[in-house]
Amino acid sequence: MHMTFKGWAAIVLTIAAAGAAHAGGFSRGTANTDILYEDGRVVLQGGSTYVAPSRAYETVSGRPVSDGSMTGSYWVPGLAVKIGINDASSCALTYTEPYGASLETGAQTQRAQLLAGRDGSIASHLRSDEYGATCAVKLPAGPGNLVLVGGVFLQSIDYKDQSLLGTLHLGDDEAYGYRLGAAYEIPDYALRAQLLYRSAVDHEGDGTFTASPLAAARYGVPAGYTVFAHGGGTLPQSLEISLRSGVAEDWLAFGSVKWTDWSVLPSLDYVVTGFGPQHRDFNFRDGWTIQGGLAHSFTEKLAGLVSLTWDRGVSTGADVLTDTWTLGAGAQLKTDIGNFQIGAGLSYMTAGMQSIARSATLDATVGGDWGLGVTTSYAIKF
């Protein structure tokens, strides 16, 4: 073979990032625990994925609108350090942004919401950070190794939601979760089958609510009046099965199936002092993400791959998070100073609709929309 398949975990993860960044719900980045399988006593890898989705309403309250895209572009960073303890065990420190969202509706949509007397969200932003520590132990088993994986992570969130009544800001700096998994690998055939579980994380956060002029007129408080707020919710558990294997000279096939328990988040519930209990409905269903692809080694230093990812939309009618199809391609270049990976994904988001009857702020429809993801990373081994 031109290029050993043992070092291909990085390139497969890189191209997977371009597809995963368009996944359902609020999913964004995935911690690079695959670095545990890389050769080398110390391995460093860092990268970033840029995603530019374009989701726009076609109609609101039965009328055509031309507000343009309501989804903002964003970056998803990823850092990982593997430290080999001995030939049979290693640990990794990782960082990523596992969840995020950015939504801003246009003037026509906001006007329709005001005329309909609806006070729902007109702009929302969610950011999260995950700091993880994961270890793996290899046990000889037949022609390969049984690998046991486990670790913990700290997750924080920062959430802002603007409605016609005002702006809610909640944050939680410290919540914990864990990972557990098992894999079987035969390195000589680049074969690895893995089952990896990531736990749910419960968040409770304090913050503020700042009243808008509309709230001032309705409730008799000054515009800009700020009061205490408290609320929370659960971000989901997930289970992923992945398989990769050499299938011919210089060829590698890979695939994965991931289930994410988005139905655990029916709503964000919070309490605002003086305004009482409030909620933001999501009514998500569980998400499924299926990916498959092929990689090929062209020379000892250059490899490339293609992939296709399907993500089942989590929407049940309260929003327009529909199915997404992503075609990805990537390349890896080995140099004397490290390995460079680059990938890109073109995503198609299917048409859909939301309705007040299903807890949406307004009746609205979307057509088929497109998104683009570009990802790069660099890895070096010692």
Side-chain angles (χ1 to χ4, degrees):
M1 293 184 180
H2 289 122
M3 178 184 288
T4 173
F5 283 121
K6 292 181 181 179
W8 282 34
I11 186 175
V12 172
L13 182 71
T14 295
I15 190 60
H22 287 285
F26 303 135
S27 296
R28 285 195 173 173
T30 300
N32 179 11
T33 57
D34 278 2
I35 200 172
L36 291 165
Y37 298 94
E38 292 283 352
D39 291 335
R41 184 54 59 92
V42 178
V43 183
L44 309 176
Q45 183 172 11
S48 185
T49 300
Y50 173 75
V51 182
S54 181
R55 175 107 280 189
Y57 287 133
E58 286 192 338
T59 67
V60 172
S61 299
R63 297 181 178 180
V65 294
S66 56
D67 283 333
S69 178
M70 58 184 170
T71 50
S73 59
Y74 55 89
W75 291 89
V76 182
L79 298 171
V81 180
K82 172 209 166 181
I83 301 173
I85 301 171
N86 52 43
D87 292 340
S89 59
S90 60
C91 291
L93 302 176
T94 59
Y95 166 74
T96 190
E97 293 182 10
Y99 302 108
S102 180
L103 173 69
E104 295 188 15
T105 58
Q108 290 176 290
T109 301
Q110 294 180 29
R111 190 179 304 113
Q113 188 167 290
L114 182 61
L115 292 174
R118 309 287 293 181
D119 300 325
S121 176
I122 58 176
S124 59
H125 301 276
L126 170 67
R127 176 191 165 89
S128 67
D129 295 287
E130 180 202 300
Y131 302 88
T134 308
C135 294
V137 177
K138 294 182 180 181
L139 305 172
N145 302 305
L146 175 65
V147 184
L148 302 179
V149 179
V152 296
F153 60 88
L154 180 151
Q155 181 172 286
S156 64
I157 62 166
D158 186 84
Y159 178 73
K160 293 181 180 180
D161 187 85
Q162 180 185 356
S163 71
L164 294 176
L165 289 180
T167 300
L168 171 72
H169 185 193
L170 294 173
D172 183 8
D173 294 331
E174 190 174 332
Y176 294 90
Y178 63 89
R179 286 187 179 83
L180 291 174
Y184 185 75
E185 63 170 2
I186 304 177
D188 290 341
Y189 297 99
L191 172 67
R192 183 166 84 243
Q194 178 179 259
L195 180 67
L196 188 63
Y197 171 79
R198 183 185 191 274
S199 73
V201 179
D202 295 323
H203 283 284
E204 289 288 335
D206 294 330
T208 60
F209 180 82
T210 302
S212 70
L214 178 61
R218 181 178 297 181
Y219 296 102
V221 297
Y225 178 68
T226 299
V227 294
F228 174 79
H230 177 84
T234 299
L235 289 171
Q237 63 183 333
S238 64
L239 184 66
E240 183 173 17
I241 301 172
S242 59
L243 176 65
R244 64 191 63 177
S245 177
V247 291
E249 184 77 10
D250 301 326
W251 287 91
L252 180 82
F254 61 92
S256 63
V257 177
K258 184 176 183 179
W259 165 76
T260 306
D261 185 22
W262 279 112
S263 59
V264 77
L265 187 65
S267 64
L268 170 68
D269 300 313
Y270 57 97
V271 176
V272 177
T273 301
F275 292 81
Q278 309 287 327
H279 63 92
R280 167 83 186 278
D281 290 325
F282 302 116
N283 295 335
F284 290 155
R285 63 178 178 176
D286 290 352
W288 289 91
T289 306
I290 301 174
Q291 183 180 69
L294 284 172
H296 179 59
S297 173
F298 298 103
T299 69
E300 291 184 357
K301 295 186 176 181
L302 180 64
L305 61 78
V306 294
S307 69
L308 181 65
T309 304
W310 170 72
D311 184 87
R312 187 181 81 159
V314 299
S315 174
T316 59
D319 49 46
V320 286
L321 295 174
T322 59
D323 289 9
T324 301
W325 291 87
T326 301
L327 179 64
Q332 173 175 271
L333 177 65
K334 285 191 171 184
T335 72
D336 294 336
I337 60 172
N339 299 339
F340 296 87
Q341 298 89 27
I342 186 169
L346 180 65
S347 295
Y348 176 74
M349 296 164 277
T350 58
M353 63 180 296
Q354 64 183 45
S355 68
I356 294 174
R358 294 183 177 272
S359 302
T361 302
L362 291 169
D363 294 333
T365 64
V366 293
D369 292 310
W370 294 89
L372 176 67
V374 179
T375 182
T376 60
S377 70
Y378 169 75
I380 188 169
K381 303 178 180 181
F382 301 95

